Amino acid sequence: MVKTKVKAKEKKKKKEKDDEIHIPFSYQKFKMYGFPLIVLLVAFIGYRIRMETAQLKYFVDPDTFFHYEMYRLAVHEWIPKYFAYAEPPAGIKVTGSLGLYMIPAALYKFFAIFGITELGFYRMWPALVGFLTIIAAYFLGRKLHSEWAGLWAALIMMFSYANFTKTMSGNGRGEGPFMMFFFYAVLFMTMYLDEKDFNWKKALWGILFVLTSVAFTSVWNGSQFGIGILLVFMAVNAILLFTWGKIAELKTFIREFYPAFLLILVISLGLSYRGIVGIRSFLVFALQGFVAVVALSAVMLYGERLKLNYSDKKHRFAAVVAVGILGFAAAYLYFGPDLWKFMGGAYQSNPLYQTVAELAKTSFRDIKMYYSVKTSDALVFFLSLGGFFLVLLRFVRKLMKGDITGYKEVFLVAYYASSLYLLAMAVRFIFQASGSIILFAGIFIGELFLFVENMKDTPTTKAMYSIFLIILFLPLPIVGAQHMNQIASYYSRSEQVTPSWQNTLLWLKNNSNPLDSATSWWDYGYWIESSLLSHRRASTDGGHAYDRRYIVADFLSHYGNRSEVDFEAWELNYFIVWQQDIYKFNAISYLVGAINYGEYRNTPMFQPIPLTAIRFDNQTRKYYIQTRGGAVMPMMTVDLRSGRIVQGGAGSAPYVLYIFQNYGLLAYKNIAFSNFVRLAFHLPFSFEKWDAQKLFANFRLVHSAGDVATYRFRPFAVYMIQNLENGTWKIAYTALGGGKLPPGRHQFKLYISAFGRDIKDATLLFEAYNGTKLIEKKTIARNLNMDHLHETPLQFNLTVPNATKYRFVLIQDGPVGVIDGKVRVNGRVVDPTYVLGEGKSGTLELTAAFRRDYTANLTLRASIVYYVTPNGKDIYQDRFQLEPHMDIIDYIPVKQGLSVKAGDNRIKAQAKMPENVFDSYIQKLYSKYGKDGVVIVRKRIEPIFIAKKEYVIWEG
């Protein structure tokens, strides 16, 4: 019996021993080899989800159209230098974060071996970034916390909407590659710091840490986020090690991390001078911060030699605080208020930023949208908070025990805290914050698995708990992946470039000159420039010519003289208007002072109304709109079905109601008769006499595609012709009504609309044609002058021959040609919109393209965009209002009498800019409006060719 009991006990001990040896061994092998395979599968699923949008005809994100053009340049030129299609007529010097284009261009060279096209690879690139980031999340989570944290971070990133939005095919922005390279940089940093002895592994990890860090600085203009986190980590970790008396560890950290980080800063700064890295000013700041931390570290290491008391934690910390205060004071004296301006964009620091949706403050609604498993549960965000508090708790407990040798908690806390700070600043940082939020969500779940693994139960029991946790959390990636796949499928059916825009842009490509330019509201500039669409120059777009946005908005939001701007200074040929911009018109009208800030925030500019809500009262003879609160009468109704115009009565709402065939549209009184309303909806309604005739003379409809209309712009156009019959002036032609010239001898009045540009020393010609043959040409007037704000008709006698076509042609000096290549001064590539500073001189070299042969004068045009603030500069006051202006200050002669040919011309000349061109003009503005009433938006010095230019102002 005793023998049997002994055998039973031995058998039980053997089983427990087998459990202790066999099960943990299999478990560890599963984590070591099984987890990476699972992550690889998860990354592939994430890649497939992100590639759903590759089936779109075009790209999901508007900015990607521009990034694709830069990538194409990088494929052929390696470092893109010049882009002709932005900011006409000068084009732009391509600078800043060129790694965003050079890295995929280099990878394409490899993928091209397999027959993948330029466009095909570019569609793959964002999804490939997503794939690699998922894998990085696993390795980084494993390195910073545990295998389980890495696995769950990868699972969450696979379905994360916040991550998906910037890594789906068709979104080629820099945020996705930045996060990918940042994750790998941190991973290599930890491997480098963890390797105790200096050997080939440590050297390799250190090199990879530096290279991937430089890579993340090169792909995004917001990469100061990554540099900032490394700088904060460097300072905080050093201070903690010193405060807790870990001097040996501090010396090791200084010896290993400081040189690597310095190398990152120096290499990135060097590349910034080639335009490859776009955060030069922040890198200079970071270098200064680095020097400050080095100085602080020197004090920490050698302060006792200066009789500083380092006897305990309190004294050491007091020394750090004292040095820190002195350092901050010195920094503030050096930088002044600019010390706080590095995040200016997130703080909506000017009226233009106020109108950009992604710069709005982040709301909890945004958090629920981007950090949920499905719909709006915000579960990922809440899990990350749990992970953060657990890590913070462990960090504090270690501090209490005097154990601060683990730098990983320091980095994690700094990373998460910085991410939450950015997240609170602006919704644009949703994606960047997602890196730490996903990582900490994985850490929270990983903590639960670690808790089970560290239990003192048998391996079998622990395995059961682990299975329970897997069953508990497994729905997250399954449900999340299904939900994200549905979203991806929706995106893949939602072409951003609408059919009407596609029709318009392809028409423009096939029916305009390759040197033509077009503009619209800036959101669509990249579409206009894209080689996939119209491939024409755009006056303003998503990243360039911010100053021109104010001017375009000024034109759209006003009418008559108040709306006239010198579009010919941009050599504009086409203006495109989209009816759907009624939903952006609060921003558009605010940017030009058509409304104030209070109206921008609280008053909708347009409200579509169903016809069923509109009624006409036969007794009062007034129109009413039925609302939940009762009937509302608009201040005016324009019924386009019947042509009836009805004024509202007392107490009417401050809106004009336009009634179309199928719907009504309420337009706020300030913008109800604006150029936008008339051009977008083809309304020949004139609030002032002849105003509509003038508008539609200068802007002639040449193409209509549903809700998108394209107008040909003419700076000078005839809007009315009168001829004298029996002592009475009779209308022979109007821009909207048409008409013909009567043959024979007549006395005429020619009404010319000069849009934003004076007629100066011009010659007016009359031409008659039979078919294409010119049969008569007469000079009507010489030395003709007209103020565009005070137009007067031109009266003359003319014998009109019998012909099939007649034209009036105005000849005067005007801008011709466009810059079509890099601009150099003294052999150095310069910004073509600011080629030479005031008081500077040099040899100017450029390529200019012309439509025909000219004898032209090369000049440097100095112009300025500014706005006046009559109600003060506080942009958050309801009364805040602004009035934008674009003034040409001067044309500085460079080379006269140039003979240029149609096509490209290489031109070289000596140029010199006078001093104080802008300063003297700005002083005049200050005298006129007051120094506090003027905000300078941008100064330009552009090479412009002036020649005798023919303007066809009328033909019929």
Side-chain angles (χ1 to χ4, degrees):
M1 186 72 176
V2 173
K3 198 173 184 180
T4 304
K5 287 182 179 180
V6 169
K7 284 184 177 180
K9 284 182 180 179
E10 288 177 354
K11 189 175 181 181
K12 184 178 178 182
K13 284 181 180 179
K14 184 177 184 302
K15 184 178 183 305
E16 287 177 354
K17 189 176 181 181
D18 287 344
D19 284 346
E20 289 172 4
I21 296 173
H22 179 68
I23 293 178
F25 179 73
S26 302
Y27 179 63
Q28 291 301 328
K29 274 207 165 188
F30 171 68
K31 288 205 297 183
M32 183 178 296
Y33 300 109
F35 279 18
L37 292 175
I38 293 172
V39 169
L40 198 61
L41 176 63
V42 165
F44 178 71
I45 294 170
Y47 173 80
R48 290 296 300 269
I49 292 173
R50 287 156 175 76
M51 279 296 287
E52 282 282 326
T53 48
Q55 57 191 293
L56 286 168
K57 188 175 181 181
Y58 299 108
F59 299 127
V60 174
D61 179 71
D63 287 16
T64 300
F65 286 87
F66 172 75
H67 297 320
Y68 173 64
E69 299 304 320
M70 295 302 100
Y71 153 79
R72 289 178 67 232
L73 287 175
V75 168
H76 301 285
E77 300 177 7
W78 181 230
I79 302 179
K81 292 280 178 50
Y82 174 81
F83 184 59
Y85 292 87
E87 300 205 39
I92 62 167
K93 177 186 177 183
V94 182
T95 58
S97 301
L98 299 187
L100 178 61
Y101 318 120
M102 295 165 63
I103 292 170
L107 287 173
Y108 163 70
K109 300 289 187 180
F110 169 75
F111 281 85
I113 298 170
F114 305 100
I116 297 174
T117 64
E118 278 183 0
L119 178 59
F121 176 73
Y122 199 70
R123 292 189 186 281
M124 291 171 52
W125 168 241
L128 185 61
V129 167
F131 172 85
L132 293 172
T133 309
I134 292 170
I135 292 174
Y138 164 68
F139 284 112
L140 188 57
R142 185 176 77 170
K143 193 67 178 171
L144 291 175
H145 189 268
S146 64
E147 289 274 3
W148 285 107
L151 175 65
W152 284 101
L155 286 166
I156 293 169
M157 186 167 282
M158 175 262 291
F159 68 80
S160 164
Y161 180 63
N163 186 269
F164 167 82
T165 54
K166 302 297 185 187
T167 56
M168 59 179 167
S169 176
N171 190 318
R173 293 193 184 201
E175 293 99 318
F178 164 79
M179 182 181 288
M180 175 186 73
F181 284 121
F182 180 71
F183 267 33
Y184 281 107
V186 175
L187 173 65
F188 294 134
M189 178 191 78
T190 60
M191 297 171 80
Y192 167 67
L193 293 177
D194 282 353
E195 196 70 41
K196 299 304 179 186
D197 299 321
F198 188 83
N199 50 36
W200 69 269
K201 286 184 180 180
K202 193 174 188 69
L204 175 63
W205 302 140
I207 291 169
L208 289 175
F209 169 45
V210 171
L211 291 179
T212 49
S213 295
V214 171
F216 80 62
T217 67
S218 75
V219 295
W220 186 44
N221 282 339
S223 56
Q224 56 258 53
F225 174 59
I227 292 293
I229 286 174
L230 293 179
L231 185 61
V232 169
F233 164 66
M234 169 185 169
V236 172
N237 196 52
I239 290 169
L240 288 174
L241 286 170
F242 169 71
T243 304
W244 263 259
K246 305 293 183 180
I247 305 302
E249 289 83 355
L250 173 60
K251 288 179 178 179
T252 301
F253 181 68
I254 290 172
R255 185 172 59 251
E256 294 181 348
F257 186 83
Y258 285 27
F261 188 47
L262 178 61
L263 200 57
I264 291 165
L265 296 178
V266 170
I267 294 174
S268 298
L269 186 61
L271 292 176
S272 74
Y273 289 94
R274 298 295 303 275
I276 297 172
V277 172
I279 57 168
R280 185 188 305 169
S281 60
F282 189 86
L283 287 169
V284 171
F285 170 76
L287 271 170
Q288 292 163 337
F290 175 86
V291 171
V293 175
V294 169
L296 176 62
S297 300
V299 172
M300 291 189 296
L301 289 178
Y302 307 110
E304 285 182 312
R305 298 181 184 179
L306 302 174
K307 307 302 181 182
L308 294 178
N309 185 352
Y310 289 169
S311 59
D312 55 32
K313 279 190 292 187
K314 290 181 180 180
H315 285 92
R316 288 191 292 271
F317 184 69
V320 169
V321 170
V323 173
I325 291 172
L326 289 173
F328 179 82
Y332 190 81
L333 287 173
Y334 181 78
F335 289 105
D338 289 341
L339 187 64
W340 306 107
K341 291 184 179 179
F342 292 104
M343 296 307 298
Y347 286 104
Q348 305 173 341
S349 57
N350 65 48
L352 182 62
Y353 282 173
Q354 284 179 313
T355 65
V356 179
E358 66 176 11
L359 293 174
K361 294 286 186 181
T362 307
S363 67
F364 190 67
R365 181 181 178 184
D366 298 315
I367 289 172
K368 290 193 294 184
M369 180 187 299
Y370 286 94
Y371 299 126
S372 296
V373 177
K374 187 176 182 181
T375 60
S376 58
D377 50 65
L379 184 57
V380 174
F381 180 73
F382 289 126
L383 289 174
S384 77
L385 285 177
F388 175 68
F389 284 120
L390 287 175
V391 170
L392 188 62
L393 180 63
R394 180 184 295 124
F395 179 51
V396 172
R397 287 178 65 185
K398 280 188 173 184
L399 288 179
M400 298 293 288
K401 295 178 180 179
D403 177 11
I404 44 89
T405 54
Y407 66 89
K408 294 172 184 175
E409 287 91 352
V410 178
F411 176 82
L412 283 168
V413 170
Y415 184 27
Y416 191 82
S418 300
S419 297
L420 283 194
Y421 170 76
L422 285 183
L423 183 63
M425 290 300 100
V427 72
R428 70 178 301 182
F429 297 115
I430 284 278
F431 173 76
Q432 289 314 316
S434 73
S436 65
I437 287 173
I438 290 169
L439 200 59
F440 272 87
I443 286 173
F444 178 80
I445 301 175
E447 281 283 347
L448 298 180
F449 279 92
L450 288 183
F451 177 77
V452 169
E453 288 181 355
N454 293 328
M455 290 169 58
K456 294 183 179 180
D457 284 293
T458 64
T460 305
T461 304
K462 289 192 284 188
M464 290 177 61
Y465 277 117
S466 296
I467 292 170
F468 170 75
L469 286 175
I470 291 171
I471 294 171
L472 179 65
F473 288 106
L474 194 59
L476 266 67
I478 294 174
V479 174
Q482 291 173 341
H483 181 60
M484 189 49 55
N485 192 57
Q486 291 172 356
I487 293 175
S489 298
Y490 168 77
Y491 272 108
S492 68
R493 299 189 301 271
S494 305
E495 196 72 64
Q496 288 293 102
V497 187
T498 65
S500 55
W501 266 102
Q502 292 180 39
N503 181 302
T504 296
L505 295 170
L506 294 176
W507 176 89
L508 190 64
K509 186 174 190 175
N510 296 322
N511 293 276
S512 64
N513 189 292
L515 300 182
D516 278 346
S517 72
T519 199
S520 58
W521 187 231
W522 63 268
D523 284 319
Y524 322 115
Y526 285 147
W527 295 352
I528 295 169
E529 296 163 3
S530 173
S531 59
L532 301 174
L533 292 161
S534 65
H535 209 208
R536 294 295 180 263
R537 289 162 170 81
S539 301
T540 179
D541 59 39
H544 310 101
Y546 286 80
D547 54 330
R548 291 179 176 177
R549 297 179 186 183
Y550 292 94
I551 307 306
V552 173
D554 198 20
F555 166 71
L556 290 172
S557 302
H558 293 107
Y559 64 89
N561 288 349
R562 177 66 180 83
S563 72
E564 293 194 17
V565 291
D566 188 359
F567 280 142
E568 202 196 5
W570 309 346
E571 297 189 44
L572 179 68
N573 303 106
Y574 295 93
F575 200 98
I576 304 173
V577 192
W578 192 18
Q579 291 177 2
Q580 296 302 312
D581 280 340
I582 61 173
Y583 301 108
K584 297 182 178 182
F585 222 78
N586 274 56
I588 294 172
S589 52
Y590 167 60
L591 284 178
V592 292
I595 58 174
N596 60 34
Y597 182 61
E599 291 169 306
Y600 160 68
R601 289 192 310 163
N602 303 313
T603 307
M605 293 297 102
F606 290 98
Q607 298 180 67
I609 303 293
L611 291 181
T612 53
I614 302 170
R615 67 179 179 85
F616 179 73
D617 190 301
N618 287 312
Q619 288 185 336
T620 62
R621 310 301 293 173
K622 304 291 184 186
Y623 283 89
Y624 294 89
I625 300 168
Q626 195 63 43
T627 68
R628 291 179 181 177
V632 175
M633 178 172 53
M635 61 181 289
M636 179 187 287
T637 299
V638 180
D639 192 335
L640 297 163
R641 301 168 303 180
S642 62
R644 184 162 48 189
I645 299 175
V646 178
Q647 295 285 347
S652 57
Y655 285 88
V656 172
L657 173 63
Y658 290 98
I659 305 178
F660 299 89
Q661 291 297 324
N662 301 313
Y663 65 98
L665 184 67
L666 279 176
Y668 188 57
K669 60 183 178 65
N670 294 32
I671 50 86
F673 309 110
S674 63
N675 292 334
F676 169 77
V677 171
R678 291 183 293 181
L679 294 178
F681 297 94
H682 319 299
L683 300 180
F685 183 78
S686 195
F687 189 66
E688 293 180 354
K689 190 176 182 180
W690 300 110
D691 180 51
Q693 299 280 357
K694 291 181 179 182
L695 178 67
F696 285 100
N698 293 118
F699 295 85
R700 184 168 61 88
L701 183 66
V702 291
H703 184 70
S704 183
D707 55 1
V708 180
T710 304
Y711 292 86
R712 175 84 190 201
F713 171 65
R714 299 184 293 176
F716 309 109
V718 172
Y719 67 90
M720 183 170 65
I721 303 174
Q722 291 179 328
N723 66 299
L724 188 64
E725 287 187 12
N726 300 321
T728 303
W729 289 104
K730 293 189 175 181
I731 294 175
Y733 166 85
T734 62
L736 291 171
K740 297 181 178 180
L741 291 182
R745 181 74 176 176
H746 293 279
Q747 190 173 7
F748 291 100
K749 276 186 181 178
L750 208 62
Y751 292 78
I752 302 173
S753 175
F755 193 88
R757 192 174 188 85
D758 294 341
I759 296 175
K760 292 182 178 179
D761 300 322
T763 300
L764 180 64
L765 302 178
F766 170 76
E767 298 176 346
Y769 294 82
N770 274 334
T772 58
K773 183 181 179 182
L774 177 67
I775 62 170
E776 190 169 332
K777 186 173 185 177
K778 292 183 179 179
T779 301
I780 302 298
R782 295 183 187 277
N783 303 318
L784 182 62
N785 292 280
M786 183 186 295
D787 184 339
H788 75 279
L789 297 177
H790 301 93
E791 298 156 350
T792 55
L794 177 65
Q795 191 170 320
F796 56 89
N797 294 315
L798 176 66
T799 299
V800 180
N802 286 316
T804 58
K805 185 174 73 171
Y806 308 105
R807 300 199 318 177
F808 286 109
V809 180
L810 190 73
I811 301 176
Q812 78 163 39
D813 286 347
V816 296
V818 295
I819 307 303
D820 202 33
K822 294 182 285 290
V823 178
R824 290 184 169 87
V825 173
N826 297 330
R828 183 174 62 88
V829 177
V830 297
D831 178 1
T833 63
Y834 199 93
V835 296
L836 207 59
E838 295 173 88
K840 304 294 183 181
S841 62
T843 302
L844 179 66
E845 298 175 85
L846 54 82
T847 300
F850 299 88
R851 301 164 192 265
R852 43 160 286 194
D853 297 352
Y854 285 103
T855 298
N857 298 327
L858 173 58
T859 67
L860 294 180
R861 183 177 67 197
S863 61
I864 188 171
V865 172
Y866 60 95
Y867 60 79
V868 179
T869 58
N871 298 331
K873 286 188 177 180
D874 187 346
I875 63 176
Y876 297 105
Q877 285 292 323
D878 282 352
R879 291 177 62 250
F880 178 80
Q881 210 156 0
L882 52 84
E883 300 169 6
H885 299 266
M886 180 182 74
D887 295 351
I888 294 174
I889 298 173
D890 199 3
Y891 288 91
I892 294 91
V894 175
K895 195 169 186 176
Q896 308 296 304
L898 280 169
S899 180
V900 296
K901 303 295 183 183
D904 280 348
N905 296 256
R906 289 288 302 161
I907 295 166
K908 186 175 182 179
Q910 288 299 121
K912 183 176 181 179
M913 274 294 295
E915 293 186 358
N916 300 320
V917 172
F918 291 108
D919 288 344
S920 58
Y921 193 82
I922 290 170
Q923 289 305 316
K924 293 177 183 177
L925 294 177
Y926 289 160
S927 298
K928 183 177 180 180
Y929 299 108
K931 191 168 184 179
D932 289 336
V934 178
V935 175
I936 307 302
V937 178
R938 188 176 180 186
K939 305 170 186 176
R940 290 172 177 261
I941 298 175
E942 301 163 295
I944 300 294
F945 294 86
I946 303 295
K948 291 295 181 185
K949 188 173 179 180
E950 294 185 357
Y951 301 87
V952 177
I953 63 174
W954 180 86
E955 59 184 340

